[in-house]
Amino acid sequence: MKRCLLALLLWSGYLHGQTDKSRLHFSLLSGYQHEDFRWSIAGDINGNNPNIYSELIWKQLAGPIAGIEGEWNFWKSFSLRSSYSRLFIVSGKVTDMDYQGDNRTSRSYYGAFDSNKGNSAAWRTTLDYKIDLTPSLSIVPSLGYVLHTQSLFLLSDDASLGSNKLRSTYATTFKGGTLGVRAIIAVGKRGAIEPSLLYDQVKFRGKADWNLIPTFSHPLSFEDDANGYNIEGGLKGSYTCSRFFDLFLSANYLYGNTGKGTDRLYLTNGQQPLTQFNGALRHFWGIHAGLKWNIPCIKNGQSQKIKQPN
């Protein structure tokens, strides 16, 4: 047993003395996120009769968020970076409104419901290139792929809605290309600040199951398609605790919008009427704290035998 412990200590000392700069990093984070989302459709495919026929608005979707990120500096200044985060919605409200006149006039229906469950997730993978401008300032442009998803609900126990509980769903995807830039600014010997800006060009799709409407098909009642974009800004401050670990605090804000598209309704009689999707609008903000693990790499071509104790 003593021989094994001594060998392990010798090996640890060897790694400590022979490591090069870290080329592999993993980060874990948790925090809080607040999100709003809305969309509407027109009365016909040309955007008329009326121009806003039905509108859904989700507000104050909030809850804890958890995330993970990995970064691999695989060659010179090039790195692969991938991150995933997930908001667990525990509070929120949604309203559903229909109109008979243009510009939200002659309202024919209003419903207010809970939306205190579901989730919102983001996955982003990019190729990064680090440009060192000064010893304390680097710029990192990036190019890659992004996927945002939402799983949203309309919930109510109101008996007037029918014998079954209202449990309608609306699931979205925003996917496409992403490009961005971030700066790494050294603050003293151990600190750093990283402002960032991202732009996503995305394809939007929303799929709904309106569970209490018998003339709609289930589980797919209608789906929406459009093209859009996201703009996301972030700020991160980190402190190096040791060669292996950093602590960080971060915040981000995202604004997303789509243009006009199509809304396809699926009816139980087999018909699939089309109308104009007026677009979706989304924004959220989040704050996070986390830990970054820096995995050191052994210098190329170096090796050393560990002498076994007698």
Side-chain angles (χ1 to χ4, degrees), residues 36-306:
D36 295 322
F37 176 67
R38 66 193 300 164
W39 57 262
S40 70
I41 60 172
D44 61 34
I45 193 61
N46 297 314
N48 301 312
N49 299 316
N51 58 1
I52 299 176
Y53 170 69
S54 183
E55 184 173 40
L56 277 291
I57 302 175
W58 282 264
K59 289 185 176 182
Q60 301 177 354
L61 303 173
I65 185 172
I68 186 171
E69 180 179 277
E71 183 179 358
W72 175 36
N73 176 209
F74 63 93
W75 184 64
K76 295 185 178 181
S77 296
F78 288 95
S79 297
L80 283 175
R81 195 179 191 197
S82 188
S83 63
Y84 177 82
S85 62
R86 188 180 185 95
L87 162 66
F88 300 89
I89 298 171
V90 297
S91 64
K93 298 291 184 180
V94 56
T95 57
D96 182 0
M97 292 166 285
D98 295 342
Y99 303 93
Q100 293 182 334
D102 285 344
N103 303 315
R104 300 182 178 88
T105 58
S106 302
R107 190 170 71 189
S108 58
Y109 173 77
Y110 174 84
F113 311 106
D114 292 325
S115 189
N116 54 359
K117 69 175 301 179
N119 63 77
S120 177
W123 172 57
R124 187 183 303 271
T125 296
T126 58
L127 175 66
D128 295 6
Y129 182 77
K130 186 179 180 184
I131 304 170
D132 295 322
L133 300 179
T134 71
S136 60
L137 174 62
S138 300
I139 300 295
V140 186
S142 62
L143 178 68
Y145 176 83
V146 66
L147 171 65
H148 289 273
T149 65
Q150 296 169 298
S151 179
L152 307 178
F153 285 81
L154 292 83
L155 303 169
S156 178
D157 293 328
D158 188 349
S160 66
L161 296 174
S163 58
N164 297 319
K165 293 182 179 180
L166 175 66
R167 189 181 172 84
S168 293
T169 61
Y170 192 75
T172 74
T173 58
F174 302 76
K175 60 182 179 180
T178 180
L179 59 88
V181 64
R182 61 188 170 102
I184 304 174
I185 306 167
V187 180
K189 294 183 178 181
R190 291 179 176 267
I193 297 175
E194 297 184 28
S196 62
L197 183 64
L198 297 163
Y199 175 83
D200 308 327
Q201 187 67 42
V202 294
K203 174 69 175 179
F204 168 82
R205 173 162 290 181
K207 295 184 177 183
D209 181 8
W210 262 213
N211 72 306
L212 293 186
I213 301 182
T215 57
F216 287 1
S217 295
H218 306 287
L220 181 59
S221 300
F222 59 90
E223 62 181 346
D224 304 315
D225 290 281
N227 294 318
Y229 66 90
N230 299 320
I231 298 176
E232 182 175 351
L235 182 63
K236 178 180 178 181
S238 61
Y239 180 79
T240 300
C241 301
S242 70
R243 171 179 296 186
F244 302 106
F245 296 104
D246 298 349
L247 295 176
F248 64 86
L249 296 173
S250 62
N252 66 330
Y253 175 82
L254 178 141
Y255 173 86
N257 204 346
T258 77
K260 297 176 181 178
T262 59
D263 172 273
R264 182 182 297 273
L265 180 61
Y266 296 95
L267 301 175
T268 55
N269 62 10
Q271 295 182 357
Q272 298 181 9
L274 284 175
T275 191
Q276 177 178 282
F277 181 69
N278 291 328
L281 175 64
R282 179 192 187 201
H283 57 91
F284 69 71
W285 59 266
I287 53 175
H288 328 97
L291 176 68
K292 181 179 179 181
W293 180 30
N294 307 305
I295 302 176
C297 298
I298 301 173
K299 288 182 178 180
N300 294 331
Q302 293 195 3
S303 62
Q304 179 177 329
K305 293 182 178 179
I306 298 177

